[in-house]
Amino acid sequence: MEGILERLESIEKRKDHLVKEAEKLCNDYGREKIPETAQLQNLRTVAFSTSSIEEIKNYIKYQMGRIKEWFSEKEGKKFGDALIKKIEEEKTYFSSNPDTALYSIRLFIGYLIRYAKYLEKIGGEGEKRP
């Protein structure tokens, strides 16, 4: 069993990756095809009010059913599905410790919100990465 210091260290090492992945997800869809930051903040509220990763994914599916941006497509991929895929990647990466996975997912959602707000402010498509 991993100790708290080891878990924190593993998250710290992953933060740059999470930031880049959050920015990439937003850039892949562009400002017009991602949910409003208020909707993403609602997702963050759900993520912090549960200890269940499946509940977070369920909320995203619910949003996909009611808000067009969650269901918007880019090259046949829906934003909500792409977000669920990122959540699954974190769950798999930290498969030995679900609590660490949940913390990592919460961080990812926070980074997603920050970058979405940035895109909202600049009104653009974001930065293109190679």
Side-chain angles (χ1 to χ4, degrees), residues 66-80:
R66 57 184 293 273
I67 300 173
K68 68 178 177 147
E69 288 85 6
W70 288 89
F71 207 70
S72 63
E73 288 192 37
K74 175 94 180 211
E75 299 172 6
K77 297 176 188 171
K78 295 170 183 59
F79 178 83

Side-chain angles (χ1 to χ4, degrees), residues 1-4 6-7 96-100:
M1 177 92 165
E2 225 180 359
I4 187 92
E6 290 84 6
R7 291 191 342 230
S96 65
N97 194 313
D99 291 337
T100 304

Side-chain angles (χ1 to χ4, degrees), residues 13-57:
K13 290 177 183 176
R14 191 108 171 122
K15 282 184 178 179
D16 284 347
H17 172 77
L18 294 172
V19 169
K20 289 175 184 175
E21 287 296 308
E23 290 180 2
K24 182 180 181 320
L25 181 59
C26 288
N27 288 335
D28 284 351
Y29 286 83
R31 180 61 239 155
E32 299 302 315
K33 294 210 177 243
I34 60 175
E36 297 294 322
T37 52
Q39 293 297 324
L40 293 172
Q41 288 170 346
N42 290 342
L43 171 62
R44 179 176 54 194
T45 299
V46 169
F48 275 90
S49 67
T50 185
S51 60
S52 169
I53 293 171
E54 294 305 312
E55 185 176 349
I56 297 168
K57 292 172 14 185

Side-chain angles (χ1 to χ4, degrees), residues 75-91:
E75 299 172 6
K77 297 176 188 171
K78 295 170 183 59
F79 178 83
D81 288 336
L83 182 53
I84 288 171
K85 182 179 178 198
K86 295 293 180 192
I87 288 170
E88 277 298 314
E89 287 172 9
E90 288 308 296
K91 183 179 172 184

